[in-house]
Amino acid sequence: MDKESEVYQFPEMNLIAGRGAELIIQKIYNSSLGARLLLRNDKFLNPKWYRENLVNYLEFFVPEEEFADITEELEGLFFIDAAEWEQENNPEKEEDPRLNLDREEHQESLEQEKLRIVLYQKREERWQRGDKNPRIRLKIIEWPYQIPFELELIPYAGSAVQVEEKTLEDLASQEKITYRMFSEEEYLSRSFYRIVEDLELISPMSWYKDSYDILTTQMISGRKVSESFGQLLLENPIPLLKERLEIIESFQDYKYMEKRWENYMSRFWTKPFPQEDDGDKEDEAEWSRVIQIFVRFFAPIFDVALKNELFIGDWMPQIGRYLD
C-alpha cells in the first residue's frame, strides 16, 4: 500500500475500513466497470491484515484508451453526501433554522445506519494524457467514524494477456465478491517493463516491492511472463533495450536507488504481511538482494525477447532460480 494513514487508528476503525474496502470492490464489480477495472493488489483484503492496519487506499489498472471515460464513470458510482455538498457549494448561505432541526434528525438517523460509502470530493477537470493518475476521494461512514479513502487509477497500455477472476467473501453477508486482477505472470511482466522503461525515474517503488514479494513466495511460469513481456515490447517497443538490463543490474550498487528503497520500506512496510509459515521476508529485502533476484529471474526472459523467441522454465521461490 502506497499511502500511510493520516488518522489515528482504533481496532474498530480498522475493521470498518476493511469492510468498506470490500464494499467498494463489490460496488465496482457489480457495475458495468467490473470487466474493465483490475485491482492491483488484494493482499490487504484479509481480516488478519486489517484488524491491525488501516486499509484506506486501493489501486486499479484501467485500459489507457478508455481511461478518461472510466474515471468519470467510476466517480459516478458514488454519491456525495447531500448536506456536505450544499455546505461546500454555498458556504455563506443563511440557513433556515428548521433545516438545522431536520439535519439533526437526519444525522441521528444516519448514526443508526449501516456502513456506507460517499464521494467526498468531485474531480473538477477531465483526465487527459500526461496528467497525474487520478484519485477518487471517498469517505467510509459508520458511526462514530468517518474514514477518508482513496481510489487511484493507473493506466495500462496494450492488451492484457493474462487476467484472473478471484473471489472474496463478504464477512457481513457471507456473499462471494468476484473481482479481476492481472495474473502474477502478467503483473511481473508489466512491472519489469515499467522498471526497464523508467530506470531511476520510476515511481513509485512499489513496482519493485510487489514483484519481489511474488518472486520470493510464488512459483512462476517463465513461459507466461515471456509471452506477456514479448507482447508488450511488440506493441510498445523500448529504445536501447539491450543495455537496459545491465543498467538495472548496476542498481544494486547505486546509492540513490538504495536510499529510495530504504525510504519506501521505512514509510510503508514497517510491519510484514502475516504469512502462513510465519516466515519474515522483510529481513531479507535488502536492496542488493532485490536486484539480484530480479536479474536472476528476468535475464533469460530478456535474452529470448531480444531474439523474438519464447522462454520456457518454472521459477522456484524456495531456491531463487529456475528449475533445471
Side-chain angles (χ1 to χ4, degrees):
M1 181 176 297
D2 291 351
K3 185 174 179 65
E4 290 179 317
S5 169
E6 297 176 354
V7 295
Y8 190 78
Q9 296 184 42
F10 298 90
E12 184 181 2
M13 177 190 293
N14 293 346
L15 288 171
I16 291 172
R19 286 168 38 224
E22 294 177 356
L23 184 60
I24 290 169
I25 290 174
Q26 184 178 40
K27 192 174 186 68
I28 290 172
Y29 287 95
N30 283 345
S31 75
S32 61
L33 292 173
R36 292 178 286 168
L37 266 67
L38 303 174
L39 184 63
R40 179 176 184 176
N41 196 327
D42 66 348
K43 67 181 180 182
F44 303 105
L45 301 177
N46 183 312
K48 291 182 180 179
W49 174 268
Y50 62 66
R51 283 193 183 98
E52 299 182 4
N53 301 273
L54 186 67
V55 179
N56 65 344
Y57 186 80
L58 292 174
E59 298 168 291
F60 294 88
F61 289 111
V62 177
E64 191 173 59
E65 64 274 11
E66 303 178 76
F67 199 78
D69 291 338
I70 289 177
T71 299
E72 292 185 355
E73 190 174 342
L74 177 59
E75 188 178 61
L77 288 182
F78 305 94
F79 299 101
I80 196 165
D81 183 86
E84 292 181 1
W85 185 91
E86 181 180 354
Q87 182 63 28
E88 288 175 5
N89 288 274
N90 300 280
E92 298 180 359
K93 181 179 179 181
E94 185 175 347
E95 294 187 351
D96 186 326
R98 291 172 298 179
L99 291 179
N100 289 330
L101 180 59
D102 291 342
R103 188 166 296 167
E104 289 174 4
E105 293 176 350
H106 176 64
Q107 179 63 38
E108 186 176 344
S109 67
L110 288 179
E111 293 174 9
Q112 308 302 322
E113 287 185 8
K114 294 181 179 180
L115 181 148
R116 61 197 181 99
I117 313 294
V118 300
L119 183 65
Y120 178 67
Q121 183 180 19
K122 288 183 66 67
R123 289 177 50 81
E124 296 180 358
E125 298 180 356
R126 181 177 171 86
W127 183 87
Q128 296 182 356
R129 190 183 299 272
D131 290 348
K132 292 182 178 179
N133 293 347
R135 297 190 177 192
I136 295 175
R137 290 174 168 83
L138 308 172
K139 280 198 302 187
I140 297 173
I141 301 176
E142 185 173 58
W143 182 260
Y145 301 110
Q146 295 192 24
I147 306 167
F149 201 103
E150 287 189 351
L151 308 180
E152 180 175 355
L153 304 185
I154 306 169
Y156 72 86
S159 55
V161 177
Q162 302 155 38
V163 174
E164 295 180 345
E165 277 199 354
K166 304 182 75 173
T167 59
L168 172 73
E169 184 172 316
D170 186 335
L171 295 180
S173 65
Q174 304 298 310
E175 295 181 358
K176 297 289 185 180
I177 302 172
T178 301
Y179 58 98
R180 303 173 84 237
M181 295 180 66
F182 287 134
S183 70
E184 289 168 339
E185 287 83 3
E186 180 83 9
Y187 187 91
L188 284 170
S189 169
R190 289 180 175 273
S191 69
F192 188 60
Y193 181 93
R194 181 74 176 269
I195 287 167
V196 168
E197 183 180 40
D198 292 350
L199 298 177
E200 65 264 42
L201 298 180
I202 191 167
S203 179
M205 294 296 285
S206 57
W207 289 107
Y208 281 97
K209 182 61 171 73
D210 292 345
S211 297
Y212 175 80
D213 285 344
I214 294 172
L215 291 176
T216 54
T217 59
Q218 304 298 321
M219 191 174 84
I220 299 297
S221 167
R223 180 188 61 79
K224 291 182 178 180
V225 178
S226 178
E227 180 183 26
S228 175
F229 188 64
Q231 182 68 27
L232 285 173
L233 291 177
L234 183 64
E235 296 175 346
N236 300 278
I238 296 177
L240 302 175
L241 185 61
K242 187 174 182 180
E243 292 82 7
R244 294 196 176 220
L245 185 63
E246 296 178 1
I247 296 175
I248 298 297
E249 188 171 11
S250 72
F251 279 177
Q252 61 183 303
D253 299 316
Y254 190 6
K255 294 301 181 183
Y256 168 73
M257 291 297 288
E258 183 177 7
K259 189 65 175 178
R260 286 188 63 193
W261 173 257
E262 291 173 351
N263 288 340
Y264 173 78
M265 293 293 287
S266 65
R267 291 178 64 194
F268 303 120
W269 295 92
T270 55
K271 182 182 294 186
F273 181 73
Q275 302 287 336
E276 292 299 326
D277 60 2
D278 202 28
D280 189 358
K281 297 292 182 182
E282 297 296 318
D283 292 340
E284 302 175 10
E286 297 180 357
W287 177 243
S288 60
R289 172 174 164 78
V290 172
I291 295 300
Q292 289 167 11
I293 291 289
F294 262 59
V295 171
R296 203 177 301 160
F297 179 82
F298 281 107
I301 293 174
F302 205 81
D303 289 341
V304 298
L306 292 173
K307 302 173 185 177
N308 197 27
E309 297 176 354
L310 196 64
F311 174 76
I312 298 176
D314 291 323
W315 174 264
M316 306 300 293
Q318 299 89 343
I319 56 178
R321 62 177 175 84
Y322 287 100
L323 187 65
D324 295 331

